[in-house]
């Protein structure tokens, strides 16, 4: 039985990943910052401090894992008001990550799967899907901290022999999704007119169960060692196509207004939301051929399936406030 240690095990991705690992016969240990009630399938919870400081003292000596899957991170924060955000990101995403890798190695860990972000490479695909070999040009502190963590881990693996696997993900959606994707579902469900009809660029996404499946594959496949992989659903949608699918699944009328992209950008600049508008109008596609070719991985769920599971969750979670989901 393979023993997995999962950081961020109670998070949006972590819960789905742990369930999948257990369902495939894995022994799972969850790392969390808060004490947890017993959870089906998780054999033990280890409480950790912020940035994993003091982990070497808190770590039970009888706990080890064949593979660590590191999900926990300081995530991208919109309108971050911290004076020096990069230093804060580094404390968690670089220093904290190395603490986990070192204690895992010291207790016999063989492999470390690091869940990075496509933001470690770029915010836009520069005209063609991004490959793992493309020169990274992160544009914000979060992306830079992820890139620095990748490089630090690869050096650690080179020095110790620990197997490092890096997985770069785009936007992740699915049941329990939050932030902008949930706001979009809210707007579509209420048939709010959206000024996005003129945006024809495509962006990669990944359904949370597809990502969990890819991470499990990277954790156990012998050819994954030392590799960096891009992961996505493999079907990149335009905003119009995405909203069309959501509208159909919610059984509402799609209401899109075709506002010219230059006008959207100018409006974003006026209201201080240029970065958010750029993310909407710029293309960001990932080339996943390396993951598919090297490990033989294919996403087990289609985009339609992933979005439907998301909408079914949404209708259940928001039934009281959404007439559309009461029938």
């Amino acid at each position: 039985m393979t023993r997995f240690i999962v950081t961020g095990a109670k998070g949006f991705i972590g819960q789905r990943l742990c369930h999948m690992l257990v369902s495939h016969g894995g022994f799972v240990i969850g790392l969390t910052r808060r004490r947890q009630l017993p959870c089906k399938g998780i054999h033990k919870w280890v409480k950790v401090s912020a940035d994993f400081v003091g982990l070497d003292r808190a770590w039970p000596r009888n706990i080890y894992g064949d593979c660590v899957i590191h999900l926990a991170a300081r995530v991208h924060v919109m309108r971050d008001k911290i004076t020096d955000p990069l230093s804060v990101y580094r404390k968690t995403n670089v220093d904290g990550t190395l603490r986990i890798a070192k204690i895992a190695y010291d207790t016999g860990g063989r492999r470390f799967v690091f869940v990075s972000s496509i933001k470690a490479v770029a915010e836009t695909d520069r005209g063609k899907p991004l490959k793992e070999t493309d020169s990274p040009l992160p544009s914000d502190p979060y992306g830079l901290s992820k890139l620095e963590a990748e490089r630090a881990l690869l050096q650690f693996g080179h020095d110790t022999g620990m197997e490092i696997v890096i997985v770069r993900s785009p936007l992740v959606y699915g049941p329990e999704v939050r932030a902008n994707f949930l706001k979009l579902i809210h707007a579509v469900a209420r048939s709010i007119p959206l000024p996005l009809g003129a945006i024809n660029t495509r962006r990669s996404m990944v359904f949370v169960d597809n990502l969990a499946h890819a991470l499990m594959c990277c954790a156990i496949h012998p050819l994954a060692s030392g590799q960096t992989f891009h992961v996505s659903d493999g079907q990149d949608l335009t905003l119009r196509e995405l909203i069309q699918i959501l509208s159909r699944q919610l059984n509402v009328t799609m209401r899109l207004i075709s506002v010219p992209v230059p006008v959207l950008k100018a409006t974003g600049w006026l209201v201080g939301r240029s970065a958010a508008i750029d993310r909407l109008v710029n293309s960001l596609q990932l080339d996943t051929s390396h993951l598919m070719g090297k490990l033989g991985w294919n996403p087990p769920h289609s985009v339609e399936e992933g979005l439907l599971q998301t909408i079914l969750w949404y209708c259940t979670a928001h039934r009281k406030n959404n007439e559309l989901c009461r029938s």
Side-chain angles (χ1 to χ4, degrees):
M1 178 185 292
T2 304
R3 297 170 65 99
F4 301 94
I5 294 174
V6 178
T7 72
K10 287 294 289 182
F12 166 49
I13 302 170
Q15 292 187 66
R16 309 289 283 203
L17 173 62
C18 289
H19 174 76
M20 188 172 294
L21 294 173
V22 169
S23 68
H24 283 77
F27 183 103
V28 179
I29 300 163
L31 266 62
T32 177
R33 289 188 59 185
R34 299 177 179 85
R35 295 190 180 278
Q36 301 291 336
L37 296 174
C39 182
K40 185 177 180 180
I42 306 297
H43 289 77
K44 187 175 181 64
W45 290 101
V46 177
K47 186 175 183 294
V48 296
S49 60
D51 304 330
F52 303 101
V53 173
L55 183 62
D56 55 339
R57 298 186 299 274
W59 191 266
R61 292 295 105 181
N62 63 334
I63 294 297
Y64 72 93
D66 300 303
C67 177
V68 172
I69 304 178
H70 185 41
L71 289 161
R74 176 177 170 81
V75 298
H76 182 69
V77 178
M78 298 295 294
R79 299 188 178 188
D80 201 334
K81 297 181 180 179
I82 296 174
T83 305
D84 184 11
L86 180 56
S87 65
V88 179
Y89 279 111
R90 280 173 171 158
K91 286 180 181 178
T92 302
N93 297 347
V94 183
D95 300 341
T97 296
L98 281 177
R99 289 188 183 100
I100 291 285
K102 289 175 181 177
I103 193 67
Y105 175 75
D106 289 343
T107 54
R110 174 180 56 84
R111 180 171 291 188
F112 192 98
V113 178
F114 177 59
V115 183
S116 186
S117 168
I118 198 59
K119 286 178 174 289
V121 183
E123 288 281 1
T124 180
D125 60 25
R126 312 164 199 169
K128 61 180 181 178
L130 293 171
K131 293 186 176 183
E132 294 84 352
T133 54
D134 287 338
S135 298
L137 292 170
S139 60
D140 62 20
Y142 169 72
L144 182 57
S145 71
K146 282 291 192 178
L147 178 62
E148 290 179 352
E150 290 181 11
R151 290 173 171 171
L153 281 172
L154 291 173
Q155 184 61 51
F156 181 76
H158 178 269
D159 294 341
T160 63
M162 192 177 200
E163 299 176 358
I164 305 297
V165 186
I166 294 167
V167 179
R168 292 176 180 151
S169 165
L171 182 148
V172 185
Y173 68 95
E176 308 292 340
V177 71
R178 295 289 183 266
N180 289 336
F181 201 91
L182 180 58
K183 292 178 181 178
L184 177 63
I185 297 176
H186 278 318
V188 174
R190 289 160 175 75
S191 291
I192 296 173
L194 298 171
L196 309 174
I199 300 174
N200 296 313
T201 52
R202 298 183 181 275
R203 295 183 72 89
S204 295
M205 305 186 302
V206 63
F207 177 46
V208 64
D209 285 4
N210 285 341
L211 176 56
H213 189 270
L215 293 175
M216 182 176 68
C217 185
C218 289
I220 63 179
H221 199 296
L223 296 181
S225 176
Q227 300 294 316
T228 297
F229 297 111
H230 290 176
V231 61
S232 78
D233 287 334
Q235 180 185 352
D236 302 333
L237 304 176
T238 65
L239 263 176
R240 173 178 286 276
E241 291 169 341
L242 173 59
I243 293 170
Q244 282 177 334
I245 295 173
L246 294 176
S247 299
R248 183 172 66 251
Q249 292 178 344
L250 286 162
N251 194 29
V252 299
T253 300
M254 181 177 72
R255 301 185 68 186
L256 279 177
I257 302 171
S258 292
V259 175
V261 170
V263 176
L264 286 175
K265 288 189 172 184
T267 303
W269 180 80
L270 287 172
V271 300
R273 299 295 302 275
S274 291
I277 296 299
D278 286 344
R279 278 190 290 274
L280 283 175
V281 303
N282 291 332
S283 174
L284 181 59
Q285 295 181 269
L286 280 61
D287 185 327
T288 61
S289 59
H290 182 47
L291 175 61
M292 299 171 71
K294 188 75 172 180
L295 306 188
W297 181 83
N298 284 287
H301 303 277
S302 68
V303 172
E304 290 262 2
E305 292 170 350
L307 291 174
L308 181 58
Q309 287 195 37
T310 307
I311 292 303
L312 290 174
W313 160 79
Y314 173 81
C315 286
T316 299
H318 299 270
R319 187 178 300 274
K320 292 181 180 180
N321 300 318
N322 194 339
E323 292 288 344
L324 297 168
C325 295
R326 292 183 185 180
S327 58

